[in-house]
Amino acid sequence: MVCVNLKERSYQIIVGKNILSSLGRRCGALKLGSDVFCVTNAFIRSRYGKIIDDSLARQGIGCRFFIVPDGERSKSFAQCKRLLGALAGFDSGRRVFIAAVGGGVIGDLAGFCAAVYKRGIPCVQVPTTLLAQVDSAIGGKTAIDLPEGKNLVGAFYQPRLVVSDISLLATLDRRQFASGMAEALKYGIISDPRLFSLIEDKAGFLGPDDAGTLRVIVEACSRIKAKIVERDERDENGARMILNFGHTIGHAVEAAQGYGGYTHGEAIALGMLCACDISRKLRMLDEKSACRIERVITGLGLPSKISGVNPAAIAGPYSRDKKFKGQSRLVLLAGIGIPRIVEGVPFALVKEVVRKRIA
Amino acid sequence: MVCVNLKERSYQIIVGKNILSSLGRRCGALKLGSDVFCVTNAFIRSRYGKIIDDSLARQGIGCRFFIVPDGERSKSFAQCKRLLGALAGFDSGRRVFIAAVGGGVIGDLAGFCAAVYKRGIPCVQVPTTLLAQVDSAIGGKTAIDLPEGKNLVGAFYQPRLVVSDISLLATLDRRQFASGMAEALKYGIISDPRLFSLIEDKAGFLGPDDAGTLRVIVEACSRIKAKIVERDERDENGARMILNFGHTIGHAVEAAQGYGGYTHGEAIALGMLCACDISRKLRMLDEKSACRIERVITGLGLPSKISGVNPAAIAGPYSRDKKFKGQSRLVLLAGIGIPRIVEGVPFALVKEVVRKRIA
């Protein structure tokens, strides 16, 4: 169990095996409401719907499922409006709250809807992918996309509880799993050499059903993210910026391919490798650490070469990244566990490094 | 000048004559950004657009106008999406903020969009109706409507500045003006006998061009609302509830007629009269005070009889009011300046009082 300490917005992250059936009891203990609007996808509904419903019913909490289609496209105004209309229809005037049971898309969409429905109702995050468990379900960043850009509309809105059931990861396919591991590895690289070593040791063998190791990894990542969010809840003072390690160039790779080819984690892996390359060129990072990082990334089944993307196409979105604000500010590395925010990285250097990574 | 003290979310309300031309200087002093997205209606744009644009240009602030159609229908998902898309198109990566120049609908819509665009950008409220200047532009309640109900989607999001230019009221028609006066009168009734007496003295003569008196009234109402918001920013502890005086039954009257016939202020005037009638029946309020209130309301050109509404139609929405939570909790009166929150008011009494007010 990890605590996120944010005064009256504090909450717990529960990490464990087969804990989905405790959802009702935990929501009941927090007195979140008498009805829950459970936002999820068709697969989770069919596989875990009864466990969720029974768990809530034992506490006298009424449950209505709302199914969101898979994929980033669901982080849209249209889905947001559909969800809020259905929620208003379900809301009988008793106290209603939202449970987001799914990956990052569902967490973002449902979290945002919880933030704005009646100016804020309680939200419980039940992340079901590794990526969501180690990262997106924690910290209160919620958003939907506009045609003009990703995550342009959103809110800082902390959940009241996060329940990360490791057992739910067992059904992840290899690629989804590797994508989550990329984000977990990021936490090791930016802040926890022991976590990095653990992933390094297991990289080739770790699978989605290795619950013991995954529990350690998810809990470690949750703890790191909680500490960073506590220092910088609203992304204001720079503490949260180190979470962008690998993300500036990673987002550019994602955007350049139209968000079709690489998963988020794969793009972030490529972004981390480029950030390491730049750190090497700037003589900040030793060769051994850079090699270790690359070896773990390939060991996890993540790409180390950018393919199917035009380098010119990367430069465009990269320079428009909203983290950028006209300056080439990047999170680089001075060693494993030692991130550095560096201002004024020459754009030519970024381009050179990206070009060398192209297959 | 009135201060709303909310720690890091504190802001000033500037009340004065011909102060629209100071907008740029004030935004510049607060360093709100280098570009402003100015949400307004066609009339204001044509009449005051140049003053606004020049004022901002003198501070080097770029300005783009965005026109919203008049009426409650503009507090919709469709307008919200249209606004945010246009804003994203305008946002060049320099720091952008929003100015809401209009009445309650524009303030609510633009304020909500400011709350959610990039998880919050600065918002300046420039209320141009009396209703907005005395009430809706202050306090950070923003919202849009769903087909299922008014104000169901929104945020608590404080503006960074409120500029209430009394001179803008001169173009209000008689009915809009009276509607604003109903809300101003509410502040006198619930918390300021001197304000009540001032309005009582002027009721028959006061017009939208009486800038001297209006300045006193707007500043007094702003001060009262600021104090209440400071005590209960997020509508959590009941302090803000007294602002609902006249609103529970008033909303029911509005809903029963499909929001077509009465203005908000007219409906609130009827709601206040019903609340006084109930307070009389419960022997809380003396006859003289009740008579004074009714005389001021009719003197302001506001209705004292409900017409064109089926009494049964009032009961329905009244019992569904979201302030209600299944209980008949009403803000009643023990005297001018002495509001009382009363639980368990018999529904039969409410119906009896409403029926007697029907023309």
Side-chain angles (χ1 to χ4, degrees):
Chain A
M1 196 258 286
V2 176
C3 248
V4 187
N5 296 301
L6 293 165
K7 294 183 193 151
E8 70 279 11
R9 291 181 303 286
S10 297
Y11 56 97
Q12 292 185 343
I13 303 163
I14 317 291
V15 182
K17 273 182 70 176
N18 295 315
I19 57 173
L20 189 60
S21 56
S22 70
L23 182 64
R25 176 171 57 76
R26 295 178 193 279
C27 293
L30 290 168
K31 300 192 195 315
L32 298 184
S34 43
D35 287 309
V36 62
F37 193 71
C38 184
V39 182
T40 191
N41 66 24
F43 173 77
I44 294 167
R45 165 73 201 272
S46 73
R47 191 165 176 121
Y48 302 108
K50 190 162 162 28
I51 296 175
I52 294 169
D53 208 9
D54 288 352
S55 166
L56 293 158
R58 282 196 297 275
Q59 302 291 318
I61 299 172
C63 174
R64 168 83 54 91
F65 287 97
F66 180 84
I67 305 300
V68 174
D70 286 326
E72 179 80 20
R73 275 162 170 253
S74 284
K75 279 177 60 173
S76 66
F77 245 89
Q79 287 295 335
C80 183
K81 186 180 175 193
R82 192 175 73 90
L83 192 161
L84 289 167
L87 174 56
F90 173 59
D91 179 6
S92 62
R94 306 202 307 168
R95 285 169 55 234
V96 69
F97 64 104
I98 284 182
V101 187
V105 168
I106 283 172
D108 269 11
L109 171 70
F112 177 64
C113 289
V116 299
Y117 183 68
K118 290 185 172 175
R119 301 196 184 95
I121 60 173
C123 182
V124 177
Q125 292 281 353
V126 185
T128 61
T129 65
L130 185 55
L131 191 69
Q133 290 189 358
V134 298
D135 188 52
S136 63
I138 305 163
K141 275 198 182 180
T142 69
I144 59 173
D145 301 335
L146 288 181
E148 289 78 8
K150 281 182 73 168
N151 295 329
L152 278 183
V153 174
F156 290 99
Y157 194 71
Q158 299 298 338
R160 297 289 301 274
L161 172 70
V162 179
V163 176
S164 289
D165 188 340
I166 299 299
S167 317
L168 301 179
L169 305 179
T171 57
L172 292 181
D173 68 35
R174 188 74 224 170
R175 236 182 129 190
Q176 277 182 301
F177 180 74
S179 184
M181 284 306 299
E183 204 74 61
L185 182 67
K186 180 194 80 177
Y187 282 100
I189 294 174
I190 61 172
S191 118
D192 188 345
R194 281 178 55 202
L195 173 62
F196 179 83
S197 295
L198 171 67
I199 299 175
E200 186 177 40
D201 289 346
K202 303 264 186 178
F205 324 100
L206 195 61
D209 53 356
D210 190 349
T213 306
L214 287 175
R215 182 177 174 160
V216 174
I217 290 172
V218 171
E219 197 152 312
C221 294
S222 301
R223 189 158 282 126
I224 295 165
K225 179 134 187 196
K227 289 290 154 252
I228 292 172
V229 170
E230 287 168 3
R231 294 213 306 274
D232 185 18
E233 184 182 2
R234 297 177 69 90
D235 218 351
E236 289 166 334
N237 61 27
R240 214 162 165 154
M241 192 178 300
I242 63 162
L243 294 172
N244 289 328
F245 178 69
H247 279 60
T248 302
I249 297 174
H251 283 159
V253 170
E254 275 182 298
Q257 54 160 17
Y259 302 103
Y262 288 120
T263 64
H264 178 68
E266 287 165 350
I268 269 38
L270 291 165
M272 292 193 291
L273 288 171
C274 290
C276 287
D277 294 343
I278 296 169
S279 307
R280 284 283 300 139
K281 290 269 183 190
L282 295 176
R283 301 180 187 283
M284 291 167 56
L285 183 67
D286 62 295
E287 191 182 350
K288 185 171 165 242
S289 298
C291 286
R292 283 176 72 194
I293 291 171
E294 181 148 358
R295 216 176 309 119
V296 180
I297 284 176
T298 52
L300 288 169
L302 292 161
S304 62
K305 290 284 179 190
I306 306 171
S307 65
V309 179
N310 178 344
I314 297 179
Y318 164 79
S319 60
R320 274 203 301 276
D321 188 283
K322 74 171 183 285
K323 308 273 160 46
F324 238 58
K325 296 178 180 171
Q327 294 166 44
S328 41
R329 178 198 284 167
L330 283 177
V331 185
L332 299 178
L333 221 53
I336 289 165
I338 314 169
R340 292 275 182 269
I341 293 167
V342 179
E343 305 276 353
V345 179
F347 194 41
L349 175 57
V350 177
K351 278 201 281 193
E352 178 196 335
V353 158
V354 169
R355 204 172 295 119
K356 283 205 181 142
R357 282 277 164 194
I358 296 206
Chain B
M1 198 258 284
V2 176
C3 248
V4 186
N5 295 301
L6 293 165
K7 292 182 196 153
E8 70 279 11
R9 290 182 302 287
S10 298
Y11 55 97
Q12 293 185 342
I13 303 163
I14 316 291
V15 182
K17 273 183 70 176
N18 295 314
I19 57 174
L20 189 59
S21 56
S22 70
L23 182 64
R25 177 172 56 76
R26 295 177 194 279
C27 293
L30 290 168
K31 299 194 197 315
L32 298 184
S34 43
D35 287 309
V36 62
F37 193 69
C38 184
V39 182
T40 191
N41 66 24
F43 173 76
I44 294 168
R45 165 74 201 272
S46 74
R47 190 165 176 122
Y48 302 108
K50 188 162 163 30
I51 296 175
I52 294 169
D53 208 9
D54 289 351
S55 166
L56 293 158
R58 282 196 298 275
Q59 302 291 319
I61 299 172
C63 174
R64 168 84 54 92
F65 287 97
F66 180 84
I67 305 300
V68 174
D70 287 325
E72 179 80 19
R73 277 162 168 253
S74 284
K75 279 177 61 174
S76 65
F77 245 88
Q79 287 296 334
C80 182
K81 188 180 175 193
R82 190 174 75 89
L83 192 162
L84 290 166
L87 174 56
F90 172 59
D91 179 5
S92 62
R94 307 202 306 168
R95 286 169 55 234
V96 70
F97 65 103
I98 284 182
V101 186
V105 168
I106 283 172
D108 269 11
L109 171 69
F112 177 64
C113 289
V116 299
Y117 183 68
K118 289 185 172 175
R119 301 196 183 94
I121 60 172
C123 182
V124 177
Q125 291 281 353
V126 185
T128 62
T129 64
L130 185 55
L131 191 69
Q133 289 189 357
V134 300
D135 188 53
S136 63
I138 306 162
K141 276 198 181 179
T142 69
I144 59 173
D145 302 335
L146 288 181
E148 289 78 9
K150 281 181 73 167
N151 295 329
L152 278 182
V153 174
F156 289 99
Y157 193 71
Q158 300 298 338
R160 298 288 300 276
L161 172 70
V162 179
V163 176
S164 289
D165 187 341
I166 299 300
S167 317
L168 301 179
L169 304 179
T171 56
L172 293 181
D173 68 35
R174 188 74 223 171
R175 237 181 128 190
Q176 277 182 302
F177 180 73
S179 183
M181 284 306 300
E183 205 73 62
L185 183 67
K186 180 194 80 178
Y187 283 98
I189 294 173
I190 61 173
S191 121
D192 188 345
R194 280 179 55 202
L195 173 62
F196 178 83
S197 295
L198 172 67
I199 298 175
E200 186 176 40
D201 290 345
K202 303 264 186 178
F205 323 101
L206 196 61
D209 53 357
D210 190 350
T213 306
L214 288 176
R215 182 176 174 161
V216 174
I217 290 172
V218 170
E219 196 151 314
C221 293
S222 300
R223 189 159 281 126
I224 295 165
K225 180 134 188 197
K227 288 290 153 250
I228 292 172
V229 169
E230 286 168 5
R231 294 212 307 273
D232 185 17
E233 185 182 0
R234 298 177 69 90
D235 219 351
E236 288 166 334
N237 61 26
R240 213 161 165 155
M241 191 179 299
I242 63 161
L243 295 172
N244 288 328
F245 179 68
H247 279 60
T248 302
I249 297 174
H251 282 161
V253 170
E254 275 182 297
Q257 52 162 17
Y259 301 104
Y262 288 120
T263 65
H264 178 69
E266 287 166 350
I268 269 37
L270 291 165
M272 292 194 290
L273 287 172
C274 290
C276 286
D277 294 344
I278 296 168
S279 306
R280 285 282 300 139
K281 291 269 184 190
L282 296 176
R283 300 180 188 283
M284 291 168 56
L285 184 66
D286 61 296
E287 192 183 349
K288 183 169 166 244
S289 297
C291 286
R292 283 177 72 194
I293 291 171
E294 181 149 357
R295 215 177 308 121
V296 180
I297 283 176
T298 53
L300 288 168
L302 292 161
S304 62
K305 289 284 179 189
I306 307 172
S307 65
V309 179
N310 177 346
I314 297 180
Y318 164 79
S319 61
R320 274 203 301 274
D321 188 284
K322 76 168 182 284
K323 308 274 159 45
F324 239 58
K325 297 178 179 168
Q327 295 167 43
S328 42
R329 178 197 285 167
L330 283 177
V331 185
L332 299 178
L333 220 53
I336 290 165
I338 314 168
R340 291 273 182 271
I341 294 166
V342 179
E343 305 276 351
V345 179
F347 194 41
L349 175 57
V350 176
K351 278 201 281 193
E352 178 196 335
V353 157
V354 168
R355 204 172 295 118
K356 282 205 182 143
R357 283 277 165 194
I358 294 205

